[in-house]
Amino acid sequence: MSLIITSPLRGWATTLDSVPDPVFAQRMMGDGVAIQPLGDTVVAPFDGEVVTLHDAGHAISLRSVEGAEVLIHIGLDTVMLKGEGFTPLVAIGQTVLRGDPLIQFDLDAVALSAASLITPVIVTNADAFAISRRATDCAIGACEALMTLLPVQAEARRRSDDGTVIEQAVTLSLPHGIHARPAARIGEAARGFQAELHLLNGDKRGDARSTVALLALGTRFGDDVVVQARGDDAEAALAAIVALLATDMGEGAPAAVAAPLASAAPLRAGQIGGVIASPGLAMGPAARLKQAEIAVAHDGAGDDHERAALLAARQDVRARIAAHADSADGSVAAVMHAHLALIDDPELLAGAEQRIAAGRSAGFAWRGAIHDQIDAIRATGNAHLIERIDDLIDIERQLLSKLTGTPLNGAAVPAGAIVVADDLLPSQLVSLAAMKPAGICLTRGGPTSHVAILCAGMGLPALVAIGEALDAVADSTPLLLDAEMGHLTVAPSPADTDAFTARLAKRDARREAAKAGAANACHTADGTRIEIFANLGTVDDAVLAAAQGAEGSGLVRSEFLFLDRDTAPSEDEQHAAYQAIADALPGKPVIVRLLDIGGDKPATYIPIAHEENPSLGQRGIRVALAQPDLLETQIRAILRVEPVGQCKIMIPMVASIDELRQVRALVEQLRAEMGIATPVEVGVMVETPAAAMTADLLAVEADFLSIGTNDLTQYVLAMDRGNPAVAAGVDAMHPAVLRMIGKTCRLATARGRWVGVCGGLASDPAALPILIGLGATELSAVPGFVAEAKQIIRGLTLTEARAHADLALQCKSAAEVRALARAFEETRR
Ligand code: PEP
Ligand code: MG
């Protein structure tokens, strides 16, 4: 006769596969269903008796009158809460009826403190009952049918023997006694033997193969437990179980206070510190970014001709700068106005006129006049004035470019060199990258600027915000760029060079090894599935990502289609771009982020009024919602991608659930209009503290959440990601940012939503164990890092990642977290 087990909780029923704990996901304790709770009271799933109730109040097991044993484990790692937030309403041995309240718990408090709220409901005596039907992937109310069990014929499992019992005592090292997870491990070990195995605690005795029986022993840390074995392989079985019980089974609680950590490695002589903008190692000669010289004729072709040429060139350059000044604001506009003044500067004009009158060409005359001024400024020794020299050189070049027809972007660096520059524009970086430099070092710049993002995307190691010490590095000086530790060694000793060469060789070997396993799915060493996706801007990125083994794209930066042009891309153009990316990743999810314009990503054709503080103004989804035509066009283009559903939609810069609702409503409206039956997932980016703190609310209505650590860092730390003055502090490893990430993961996974990370931190090898430990189950990295990320995750267990993340959360600074991460990595070499 079948037995119906009803749901002990209101919530969302899902398979055990989605439980981020191998003990449950791998059915070590038995088969069943998991529930993401929405209610706070666990009720009896059948008529029966309470067999165990853990002291911590987080787990209870019952035996039905038919003999089925079921364990209900509220949340993961909740034994650590030591009962806080749980109120048991029954006692062991009590008879209960279906629907009777068993445990009440504080849903919010437990969600905040537990690794996850997901609640496995497990049939622990699978020998006796098989599950014939179960409810999964659906909302479920308490007392609604969850599983149907059918009794199975018990098989004779153990062999007869001479009846001799051997036994051995062992003191428990498990910090929380034998709770569900260790019980499952003991049961699993016991099932590898034929012998009967029992554990005794005082006057209680339980079968080692029965989770429920082991829980019922009520053991604690330090208890002396006796293991008994009887049967053919009793000796081996006894030894195995005793050995297991003598360990902490990986549960050793991390020290309450993090061990004192070495601070960030001190710099040695010849080293300059910088901020890691794109991780990696590079070795090569310094190549100071120099603009190509613009050659000018010495002699002119007559005064009038040269005067007219100079006048025309000045008019042209003036018009261009004036147009630029009109569309710019803040400091950029101020610089443009200063340049306009220089073009008409009477001193410069007088100096040029003098030379033209002496028979020189307009170009020669202009250069001479500019350099007179530069010499005069240098002679003052006034540092503030000397900074203006760059402006003069800029104006010199713009005019000479116009006069001679020489293009301006003529900087050249040798392949394999390390580019040393004050700062770079994204357009400059793109043209430099074609020359195959080994790395980038900037005096200024920020680690989350778009130059940094581009470097990371290209796998080009980069240090930024190095400061004035970089100015002293002469062209061709040998350099060791360590964008793992965050420093640059100038003119290294042979020993330093040898050590660095060895590290490079090791890194290359690691990359090769990573490539070998690139195509395989990624799991932690203890079996938790972690999806490794790639961040993309173009179809070329998608092709590279596919070759690296990316399991999808966690972020298509669609705004790259919208920038650097005069009009928005049409629906057809967008559709073609998204379709090409989807085609390059067949069968894999592609998450397209809606237009993220504003802040440091302006588009001239999207009018945004002047803002004092653009990062806190019209950005991301705020802009898109204010431009409904643009938004509709983009959503239509995404919905047209085939197969429908492969492309998911992600909303940038979400600060409130209302933004999600508006986008969702538009998606649904357009889907109806376009006759698309297949649902399309809509997720949110967590880039604002508001989104992180309300991740539970967002998770109820979003299909997924993805953390944008670049913006989250700038908003949590109140440090502009593009401001060189604060660049050294903009590190996503700051404990405040990590705590926000941990909180987001806890709140959202408790509501049954997966959380990914698509910001720069997911491409930082040092950060991966922490992100996994905090609860992220999807990482979207730069394409070139995908295979390596898989390799790193495969070498980790979730248990050790969690313990490591716990320590990181206790650190006092980003530098301490990085020191901790280095120490963690060292122990694994
Ligand atoms: C982020 O902010 O982390 C992100 C992924 O978005 P952006 O394109 O702004 O870097
Ligand atoms: Mg962002």
Side-chain angles (χ1 to χ4, degrees):
M1 226 190 41
S2 65
L3 162 67
I4 303 231
I5 296 193
T6 50
S7 179
L9 269 168
R10 181 169 70 82
W12 181 262
T14 180
T15 67
L16 287 181
D17 299 316
S18 55
V19 180
D21 184 328
V23 166
F24 297 110
Q26 293 174 13
R27 277 81 174 159
M28 290 183 200
M29 297 180 48
D31 202 359
V33 171
I35 297 176
Q36 283 293 349
L38 292 173
D40 62 2
T41 308
V42 172
V43 300
F46 44 57
D47 298 349
E49 180 194 343
V50 177
V51 185
T52 70
L53 176 61
H54 197 283
D55 284 352
H58 69 295
I60 187 166
S61 61
L62 302 101
R63 186 179 303 115
S64 78
V65 284
E66 298 81 358
E69 291 175 349
V70 167
L71 168 77
I72 304 160
H73 194 283
I74 307 167
L76 300 181
D77 289 344
T78 33
V79 65
M80 316 274 188
L81 304 183
K82 301 197 173 89
E84 204 156 318
F86 296 96
T87 312
L89 306 169
V90 288
I92 295 174
Q94 188 172 325
T95 303
V96 290
L97 295 175
R98 190 188 302 275
D100 281 353
L102 304 174
I103 300 173
Q104 191 159 32
F105 59 102
D106 183 335
L107 194 67
D108 292 332
V110 176
L112 287 177
S113 334
S116 166
L117 255 190
I118 197 162
T119 298
V121 181
I122 307 286
V123 180
T124 52
N125 56 343
D127 301 6
F129 288 89
I131 302 172
S132 70
R133 190 181 297 163
R134 70 189 93 202
T136 53
D137 298 322
C138 59
I140 196 157
C143 294
E144 288 178 9
L146 184 67
M147 291 182 265
T148 306
L149 304 190
L150 290 175
V152 291
Q153 196 60 46
E155 278 176 28
R157 195 180 41 178
R158 294 169 211 168
R159 299 168 45 176
S160 58
D161 54 74
D162 66 359
T164 312
V165 174
I166 54 172
E167 64 178 39
Q168 189 176 334
V170 57
T171 304
L172 282 188
S173 309
L174 289 158
H176 305 286
I178 303 175
H179 65 98
R181 191 199 321 270
R185 294 225 187 272
I186 296 165
E188 199 191 12
R191 281 189 280 278
F193 298 94
Q194 297 291 324
E196 282 181 21
L197 279 160
H198 285 89
L199 265 61
L200 282 71
N201 187 28
D203 58 358
K204 296 190 192 134
R205 186 168 185 267
D207 186 335
R209 292 180 178 82
S210 161
T211 304
V212 171
L214 292 181
L215 298 182
L217 293 176
T219 54
R220 293 166 190 269
F221 172 77
D223 277 354
D224 287 325
V225 171
V226 174
V227 184
Q228 291 184 336
R230 189 177 76 163
D232 281 357
D233 53 3
E235 282 195 13
L238 183 73
I241 302 300
V242 166
L244 189 57
L245 288 174
T247 71
D248 66 3
M249 299 191 204
E251 301 246 316
V257 177
L261 296 166
S263 58
L267 296 175
R268 291 190 284 111
Q271 289 184 337
I272 316 175
V275 178
I276 299 166
S278 167
L281 303 173
M283 183 163 84
R288 277 225 159 261
L289 195 57
K290 291 187 301 260
Q291 305 288 345
E293 276 295 311
I294 300 178
V296 290
H298 181 266
D299 293 333
D303 296 8
D304 291 346
H305 174 83
E306 297 303 327
R307 267 187 211 107
L310 183 59
L311 185 66
R314 284 175 49 229
Q315 277 170 347
D316 184 89
V317 173
R318 186 191 298 112
R320 246 185 313 122
I321 296 177
H324 198 165
D326 284 348
S327 64
D329 43 39
S331 54
V332 176
V335 171
M336 295 299 108
H337 285 294
H339 284 192
L340 281 176
L342 287 176
I343 294 209
D344 295 324
D345 186 283
E347 286 285 312
L348 286 176
L349 293 181
E353 170 57 33
Q354 222 178 2
R355 286 173 170 86
I356 288 174
R360 304 293 165 250
S361 73
F364 189 91
W366 185 247
R367 174 169 277 163
I370 293 267
H371 282 265
D372 283 352
Q373 294 303 316
I374 290 177
D375 292 346
I377 290 174
R378 282 224 170 93
T380 66
N382 179 324
H384 186 70
L385 287 179
I386 288 172
E387 282 178 18
R388 297 293 308 276
I389 288 176
D390 274 357
D391 295 327
L392 282 165
I393 292 173
D394 202 346
I395 286 299
E396 173 197 337
R397 291 182 60 76
Q398 292 193 52
L399 243 97
L400 295 189
S401 155
K402 183 69 204 160
L403 279 169
T404 61
T406 312
L408 273 177
N409 272 342
V413 297
I418 294 178
V419 175
V420 174
D422 183 49
D423 206 351
L424 282 179
L425 298 169
S427 59
Q428 284 178 305
L429 178 66
V430 170
S431 50
L432 274 175
M435 300 168 207
K436 305 264 178 267
I440 304 281
C441 291
L442 301 181
T443 305
R444 300 189 293 146
T448 58
S449 66
H450 283 99
V451 166
I453 289 168
L454 287 171
C455 283
M458 296 168 185
L460 195 56
L463 282 185
V464 298
I466 295 175
E468 283 173 8
L470 191 63
D471 297 347
V473 174
D475 213 20
S476 305
T477 310
L479 297 177
L480 305 178
L481 168 59
D482 187 339
E484 284 178 358
M485 302 291 202
H487 56 68
L488 181 71
T489 308
V490 182
S493 66
D496 281 346
T497 306
D498 288 350
F500 201 82
T501 310
R503 275 178 69 198
L504 277 168
K506 247 192 197 168
R507 182 206 61 185
D508 291 345
R510 204 171 59 212
R511 283 194 179 160
E512 279 308 307
K515 263 194 223 155
N520 304 334
C522 178
H523 292 87
T524 60
D526 50 358
T528 303
R529 177 85 170 95
I530 305 291
E531 291 174 305
I532 306 294
F533 286 7
N535 291 351
L536 312 174
T538 63
V539 69
D540 288 349
D541 291 347
V543 171
L544 172 61
Q548 281 271 323
E551 301 174 83
S553 171
L555 168 64
V556 176
R557 284 193 165 92
S558 70
E559 64 278 4
F560 283 154
L561 270 173
F562 290 76
L563 297 175
D564 292 332
R565 52 191 294 161
D566 298 329
T567 53
S570 67
E571 183 181 316
D572 284 347
E573 183 183 343
Q574 288 188 58
H575 168 247
Y578 306 144
Q579 185 70 60
I581 288 175
D583 290 347
L585 290 163
K588 302 197 163 80
V590 170
I591 298 177
V592 182
R593 172 171 74 184
L594 296 176
L595 189 57
D596 185 20
I597 290 290
D600 60 342
K601 301 174 198 163
T604 47
Y605 53 90
I606 301 180
I608 297 178
H610 169 75
E611 294 176 309
E612 280 301 321
N613 219 334
S615 296
L616 303 181
Q618 289 294 302
R619 274 211 60 183
I621 193 59
R622 300 171 196 169
V623 174
L625 287 171
Q627 307 280 329
D629 290 351
L630 269 185
L631 187 57
E632 267 195 48
T633 306
Q634 184 172 34
I635 293 175
R636 279 178 176 279
I638 298 170
L639 291 177
R640 278 172 56 195
V641 175
E642 288 187 348
V644 177
Q646 183 185 357
C647 278
K648 304 170 196 305
I649 292 172
M650 183 159 74
I651 313 174
M653 292 300 300
V654 167
S656 87
I657 196 162
D658 198 47
E659 291 154 339
L660 166 61
R661 286 183 178 157
Q662 289 185 57
V663 173
R664 172 85 74 181
L666 190 56
V667 171
E668 294 311 313
Q669 176 203 319
L670 294 175
R671 211 158 59 83
E673 281 171 24
M674 295 164 78
I676 296 172
T678 313
V680 171
E681 288 187 23
V682 179
V684 294
M685 285 194 79
V686 176
E687 296 175 284
T688 63
M693 295 300 288
T694 56
D696 51 342
L697 306 180
L698 292 168
V700 172
E701 299 189 26
D703 292 308
F704 58 88
L705 291 85
S706 183
I707 303 175
T709 51
N710 305 333
D711 274 311
L712 186 62
T713 305
Q714 104 163 324
Y715 294 121
V716 167
L717 301 181
M719 288 180 180
D720 180 347
R721 62 193 268 189
N723 182 344
V726 293
V730 186
D731 188 340
M733 289 281 241
H734 191 294
V737 182
L738 298 182
R739 287 177 186 215
M740 280 278 177
I741 296 171
K743 188 165 186 109
T744 304
C745 292
R746 279 200 307 277
L747 290 177
T749 48
R751 296 287 188 272
R753 298 292 175 233
W754 62 262
V755 179
V757 177
C758 64
L761 209 57
S763 300
D764 183 342
L768 299 198
I770 297 176
L771 294 177
I772 299 305
L774 291 176
T777 55
E778 178 254 31
L779 300 175
S780 196
V782 294
F785 181 60
V786 166
E788 222 174 321
K790 285 186 169 182
Q791 182 85 344
I792 292 171
I793 301 294
R794 288 188 187 119
L796 286 173
T797 65
L798 189 61
T799 311
E800 64 194 356
R802 281 184 181 155
H804 177 51
D806 277 350
L807 288 177
L809 295 181
Q810 303 309 317
C811 288
K812 292 172 195 67
S813 64
E816 257 195 22
V817 175
R818 289 206 174 270
L820 174 75
R822 272 203 298 277
F824 182 74
E825 213 185 328
E826 301 276 289
T827 60
R828 325 179 56 74
R829 283 202 174 130

